Amino acid sequence: KAKADGRNTYRYYTDELTTLARERLVMEAKLRQALKMNQLECYYQPQIAITTGKIVGAELLIRWCDAEQGFIPPDHFIPMAESCGLIHAIGHFVLEQACTQGYAWLVQGLPALKLSVNVSAHQFSKGDLEQQVISILQSTAFPAHLLELEVTESALMHDKERVIRTMQQLRAAGIRLAIDDFGTGYSSLAYLQQLPLDLLKVDRSFIEKITSNDADKQISKAIIELAHTLRFDVLAEGVETAEQLALLKDMACDYYQGYYYSKPLPAEAFRQLLLQQVANQQD
Ligand code: C2E
Ligand code: MG
Ligand code: MG
Ligand code: MG
């Protein structure tokens, strides 16, 4: 569309930028408003122990339902929240939500569950994550050992010394740590070995083709063995079929998450699912 004419080209791009910048500002303002007005909601996706088939925890996944635009997926607004700094407030909201909800379920007599919260690289490198998490644990009375923080493999690649230090502090406070989307980054074995991790989550892209592509199957198998050698538990992300689950069981994978068991659910629906599990055990 831009013309060869210098002036027109300049004009075209300026207009374009202004429009984009304006749209971004509008989105940002809407997100800020959504946070304030409680229009962000945490969904819970069950995490299942493969040997017992029981729910052992849940991952919190944020949802934004906008009155005009409808459902906006996290992959669309988390990157924006990261670049405008809103991620810190959103991160705080999700952590508080996890601990408040987790404590309420404990008080109601539901089985103790681990709750996993996604933490952005920006939160991780800001320097006050440890104090923030500890103060939320104190104010909500949720036990530290039931809280897990998920950090993506790529988030761990900057300032490694500091990442290790932060992780050690979180670990010392009793908080569990997981590496998310594993296999999509470039962590070296030497580095992995230094991280105080509890859980390694194998990225969905491998699990997706585990039954159809031999390379993906062998890679998944190798990742599971590697994790066990390093004394981490392993969870497979995005399990959608019984065949995938059977293979993962053969490979001695410890846990899984995925549509095969359940999509992420609103808190109340997740609670019902748990109650159902408790009832089935008593039969
Ligand atoms: P993630 O942490 O790797 O979460 C897994 C994503 O896979 C979720 O997408 C989940 O709904 C989806 N999923 C689970 N099982 C299946 C399956 O069987 N098949 C398929 N096709 N997908 C499955 P979602 O909820 O859209 O979240 C996308 C990403 O957004 C998350 O990836 C995470 O990186 C980010 N995110 C979500 N909530 C938060 C949050 O509270 N804070 C931060 N910083 N990031 C978040
Ligand atoms: Mg995650
Ligand atoms: Mg993931
Ligand atoms: Mg992801």
Side-chain angles (χ1 to χ4, degrees):
K1 209 165 151 201
K3 294 222 177 86
D5 179 310
R7 258 168 52 205
N8 274 343
T9 308
Y10 175 75
R11 214 192 143 108
Y12 170 78
Y13 285 118
T14 318
D15 285 350
E16 178 89 331
L17 275 178
T18 326
T19 311
L20 276 177
R22 205 183 305 120
E23 274 172 14
R24 259 190 64 119
L25 281 175
V26 170
M27 273 284 272
E28 250 179 65
K30 281 182 128 185
L31 183 55
R32 208 176 290 277
Q33 185 74 359
L35 184 64
K36 211 164 79 190
M37 305 295 285
N38 272 322
Q39 284 159 353
L40 296 181
E41 189 180 347
C42 291
Y43 274 44
Y44 296 77
Q45 187 176 38
Q47 299 182 327
I48 318 299
I50 293 185
T51 48
T52 63
K54 277 205 235 155
I55 301 173
V56 293
E59 176 178 4
L60 277 80
L61 292 157
I62 199 161
R63 301 288 179 255
W64 176 11
C65 218
D66 180 69
E68 289 153 41
Q69 281 177 270
F71 172 77
I72 306 169
D75 284 333
H76 289 197
F77 68 87
I78 293 286
M80 178 190 60
E82 286 174 335
S83 60
C84 73
L86 256 183
I87 191 64
H88 299 286
I90 292 176
H92 188 274
F93 164 76
V94 179
L95 278 164
E96 201 159 52
Q97 194 66 34
C99 296
T100 307
Q101 185 62 86
Y103 183 74
W105 283 335
L106 281 177
V107 169
Q108 291 167 24
L110 287 170
L113 285 185
K114 177 196 81 180
L115 292 178
S116 299
V117 172
N118 291 286
V119 171
S120 139
H122 295 252
Q123 292 171 269
F124 216 79
S125 56
K126 200 181 168 214
D128 63 350
L129 184 65
E130 186 219 350
Q131 294 97 299
Q132 195 189 344
V133 176
I134 289 173
S135 110
I136 292 173
L137 285 169
Q138 279 168 351
S139 66
T140 58
F142 188 60
H145 72 276
L146 294 179
L147 180 67
E148 182 170 81
L149 304 184
E150 294 188 8
V151 193
T152 59
E153 191 182 6
S154 50
L156 301 175
M157 299 318 286
H158 325 277
D159 200 352
K160 297 184 182 174
E161 302 273 292
R162 187 155 160 187
V163 164
I164 295 172
R165 230 174 23 244
T166 307
M167 284 196 148
Q168 282 167 344
Q169 287 169 346
L170 290 162
R171 228 332 174 56
I175 296 149
R176 298 172 46 98
L177 295 168
I179 188 164
D180 202 357
D181 302 349
F182 189 79
T184 59
Y186 302 91
S187 355
S188 70
L189 291 181
Y191 182 45
L192 260 190
Q193 201 181 6
Q194 291 178 63
L195 299 176
L197 293 170
D198 297 283
L199 182 71
L200 189 150
K201 301 185 76 175
V202 186
D203 193 67
R204 175 158 61 86
S205 56
F206 297 104
I207 309 304
E208 208 176 3
K209 286 173 282 172
I210 203 176
T211 50
S212 59
N213 180 315
D214 196 55
D216 282 295
K217 178 177 160 184
Q218 297 308 329
I219 292 170
S220 303
K221 193 164 176 248
I223 293 177
I224 293 166
E225 280 166 11
L226 164 71
H228 286 156
T229 304
L230 296 172
R231 298 193 167 73
F232 309 149
D233 284 336
V234 195
L235 180 147
E237 298 191 283
V239 174
E240 296 186 353
T241 69
E243 292 72 34
Q244 290 169 339
L245 181 57
L247 257 182
L248 289 162
K249 192 170 188 174
D250 285 345
M251 296 177 184
C253 184
D254 306 287
Y255 305 101
Y256 79 97
Q257 248 178 279
Y259 295 171
Y260 178 65
Y261 192 93
S262 171
K263 289 198 171 185
L265 301 168
E268 182 51 26
F270 177 74
R271 192 179 76 96
Q272 293 300 331
L273 192 66
L274 261 180
L275 288 174
Q276 205 179 305
Q277 173 177 289
V278 173
N280 290 344
Q281 270 168 254
Q282 283 161 355
D283 288 345

